[in-house]
Amino acid sequence: MITYDSLYVDGRWLAPVDPLPIDVHSASTEELVGRAVGGGPADIDAAVGAARRAFDDPTGWSTWDPAARAAALERFADELVARGEDTATRVSLQNGMPIRISRQVESTVPATLLRYYADLVSKADIEEVRPSLVSGSTAVRREPIGVVGAIVPWNFPQTLTFFKLAPALAAGCTVVLKPAVETALDAQVVGEAAAAAQLPPGVINIVPGDGPGAGMRLVTHPLVDKVAFTGSTGVGRIIAEACGRLLRPVTLELGGKSAGILLDDVDLGRAMKAMFAVTLLNSGQSCYVSSRILAPRNRYDEVVDAFTALASSVSVGDALEESTVIGPLVSARQRDRVEDYIARAVADGGRITTGGGRPADNDRGWFVEPTIVADVHNDHTVAREEIFGPVLAVIPYEDDDDAVRIANDSNYGLAGTVWSSDVERGTAVARRIQTGTVGVNGFTLDHGSPFGGIKDSGLGRELGPEGLAAYQQLKSIYLPR
Ligand code: NAD
């Protein structure tokens, strides 16, 4: 049983003013495994106040030489690595992510990102002097944007936190992090590691809490300079509206309904070896999965059979078991939502070829079987809306143009994949997809390149040098001749 009764704010563990009791149940067994506490608007006020003071300190974090900040981020990374196994276990207990994935991703990517941005910021020029086109010269400076309000979901809680924290801290910003209540326990590890790394008080402040209370207070707080959000499109719109009124910069990483296009020359045997990670990873609770499978009409049955074999062969079980490939969903609510989508798929004329229900061997935990729905039309609900579960829709197409048309006929534009025996042909099709990211014969998220979506999938980019620029503002100082 893991218990916390305080919040990491201003470099100390403080009892919340507006306590929000959080009971954490194992997604795999439904047992109570932890008790944490979150905060409300008054705690956000305290956290933002601490972040503001830390940012405005005339000799503080934001004014440090980038190399000094980089050294602190390296220490922070070391402390996170030392807690990696604990972090992975907490994530898997809470949200049902198979432990082999949380070890590979959740306990390693945060340190990787901190080291990447530490290196980037210590090599980049903060100030560049250009000859003026009129007279004298101009110093163009990249200054930290200020106090950042970061709001993250539960599906990859650590990784998505550090998509924001690593570049923001490297740039010289201070941060108030609002994790989702579903993953409050692993968020506390971030505070413990920050304290152990001796980051100055107020540089990182962590207040788990609900959306409308703590979340909205953070978005609209007068002393916050930028909002960075990852979550659903519906909440993203609410946050964008609030930031629009305030003229507050905001980055939005939202939902997806990406297409995986199998071209007619695809080597299906080879493609299927890489397909799990792109479609069903984390029980489909990953924003970038290719959840619409587009199959050429003349190979449709072959493709449906291959996906049916994939989905029916993966081992479903307790997230903490080493052998588990598919764990439970994060909550009973999420399981019910996914089951509703499966019922809708059938009502719309879809054909379930495997799965469709709860696994017989798991009488506890929020499990849904990996499910393939064939004979889906792109107008069906199962092809239009993000399900966030282990459900794939297989849609037939006529030729490459038709495949591109169907892929682009979506409100979303976050990711996607193209599969072909001819990489050049696959890449040519990838160029035609309206999306923020797309993979050819796989999808490996590259931390050195921008990640994000278009259309209802979001605004702005994270990762790469562009992800650092999102936490900097430009200032031109016109210098005399
Ligand atoms: P969600 O939008 O319900 O919640 C995300 C976070 O926002 C949580 O911390 C929540 O407490 C907070 N929140 C909720 N309402 C709020 C409000 N009114 N004001 C401020 N904060 C509020 O999303 P979820 O169900 O937790 O996460 C799943 C969603 O996240 C999916 O749609 C998924 O696609 C998306 N996601 C996107 C990416 C990406 O990079 N594009 C990555 C992972 C997840």
Side-chain angles (χ1 to χ4, degrees):
M1 185 84 171
I2 307 168
T3 54
Y4 284 93
D5 58 6
S6 54
L7 303 173
Y8 186 68
V9 171
D10 208 7
R12 290 172 293 162
W13 292 92
L14 300 177
V17 184
D18 249 350
L20 175 75
I22 301 173
D23 284 349
V24 183
H25 293 266
S26 153
S28 302
T29 66
E30 303 180 29
E31 281 161 7
L32 185 70
V33 291
R35 283 216 164 92
V37 71
D43 301 292
I44 293 289
D45 291 353
V48 173
R52 184 82 257 166
R53 284 191 300 281
F55 186 82
D56 292 342
D57 178 348
T59 59
W61 180 255
S62 62
T63 69
W64 285 14
D65 186 82
R69 280 203 300 271
L73 296 186
E74 289 283 353
R75 290 200 305 273
F76 189 18
D78 292 342
E79 295 295 342
L80 287 168
V81 168
R83 291 164 177 77
E85 186 59 24
D86 185 22
T87 302
T89 306
R90 290 182 189 211
V91 170
S92 293
L93 257 182
Q94 299 166 113
N95 74 0
M97 180 184 293
I99 187 75
R100 58 158 85 175
I101 303 172
S102 28
R103 279 200 191 115
Q104 251 178 45
V105 182
E106 291 288 279
S107 64
T108 63
V109 172
T112 305
L113 289 173
L114 284 171
R115 297 195 208 286
Y116 169 71
Y117 280 107
D119 181 58
L120 200 64
V121 83
S122 45
K123 288 184 183 149
D125 284 333
I126 295 295
E127 192 166 302
E128 171 209 332
V129 180
R130 307 176 184 172
S132 163
L133 294 182
V134 185
S135 144
S137 58
T138 303
V140 179
R141 288 176 56 74
R142 292 178 184 279
E143 300 186 338
I145 205 162
V147 173
V148 174
I151 300 178
V152 292
W154 44 261
N155 63 328
F156 283 87
Q158 290 284 316
T159 300
L160 297 171
T161 290
F162 281 87
F163 274 26
K164 297 166 178 41
L165 270 186
L169 297 177
C173 297
T174 58
V175 182
V176 175
L177 171 68
K178 196 212 73 65
V181 287
E182 290 87 344
T183 43
L185 296 181
D186 64 280
Q188 303 289 33
V189 179
V190 177
E192 290 167 6
Q198 298 183 323
L199 294 193
V203 167
I204 296 179
N205 310 273
I206 305 170
V207 183
D210 69 5
M216 214 46 198
R217 179 65 183 161
L218 182 56
V219 168
T220 56
H221 196 291
L223 300 181
V224 167
D225 298 302
K226 161 158 182 147
V227 174
F229 172 75
T230 298
S232 61
T233 296
V235 173
R237 274 188 216 287
I238 295 171
I239 291 177
E241 282 174 16
C243 289
R245 277 196 305 278
L246 293 163
L247 293 180
R248 180 164 294 172
V250 58
T251 311
L252 301 169
E253 298 285 0
L254 309 177
K257 189 75 207 180
S258 302
I261 304 178
L262 284 81
L263 295 181
D264 57 9
D265 67 349
V266 66
D267 177 343
L268 205 50
R270 226 172 134 183
M272 293 314 288
K273 290 201 176 85
M275 201 58 83
F276 176 80
V278 177
T279 52
L280 291 169
L281 188 84
N282 201 23
S283 302
Q285 299 173 122
S286 314
C287 54
Y288 59 77
V289 288
S290 294
S291 53
R292 286 185 296 150
I293 303 301
L294 308 194
R297 175 89 62 194
N298 62 359
R299 296 184 66 185
Y300 188 73
D301 292 343
E302 197 191 333
V303 172
V304 170
D305 289 349
F307 276 89
T308 304
L310 172 73
S312 56
S313 66
V314 290
S315 143
V316 180
D318 189 312
L320 292 179
E321 294 282 337
E322 302 283 337
S323 58
T324 293
V325 176
I326 290 268
L329 300 182
V330 66
S331 60
R333 189 173 72 104
Q334 186 69 8
R335 178 195 55 197
D336 295 349
R337 223 178 130 243
V338 172
E339 287 179 337
D340 282 352
Y341 273 116
I342 295 173
R344 272 296 270 288
V346 174
D348 282 345
R351 173 170 56 95
I352 308 282
T353 65
T354 185
R358 300 180 188 182
D361 311 343
N362 302 85
D363 53 351
R364 293 181 312 162
W366 301 305
F367 291 92
V368 173
E369 292 173 308
T371 300
I372 303 299
V373 191
D375 303 347
V376 173
H377 188 275
N378 202 44
D379 288 341
H380 292 180
T381 304
V382 77
R384 309 249 29 120
E385 296 184 14
E386 183 181 53
I387 298 176
F388 233 51
V391 181
L392 303 177
V394 192
I395 304 171
Y397 72 82
E398 305 305 330
D399 55 23
D400 288 10
D401 286 349
D402 194 37
V404 169
R405 183 191 60 75
I406 296 171
N408 291 340
D409 176 15
S410 173
N411 291 339
Y412 293 108
L414 182 61
T417 46
V418 183
W419 305 80
S420 171
S421 296
D422 176 348
V423 171
E424 271 178 41
R425 181 179 169 211
T427 309
V429 171
R431 289 196 182 97
R432 297 175 64 195
I433 308 303
Q434 293 161 2
T435 186
T437 57
V438 57
V440 177
N441 292 344
F443 187 97
T444 308
L445 213 148
D446 168 21
H447 302 141
S449 304
F451 175 81
I454 61 169
K455 301 195 266 186
D456 286 0
S457 293
L459 283 178
R461 293 292 179 268
E462 296 190 309
L463 302 180
E466 295 81 0
L468 181 64
Y471 294 96
Q472 294 170 321
Q473 57 195 354
L474 296 171
K475 180 195 281 176
S476 295
I477 304 178
Y478 306 127
L479 299 169
R481 206 196 296 255

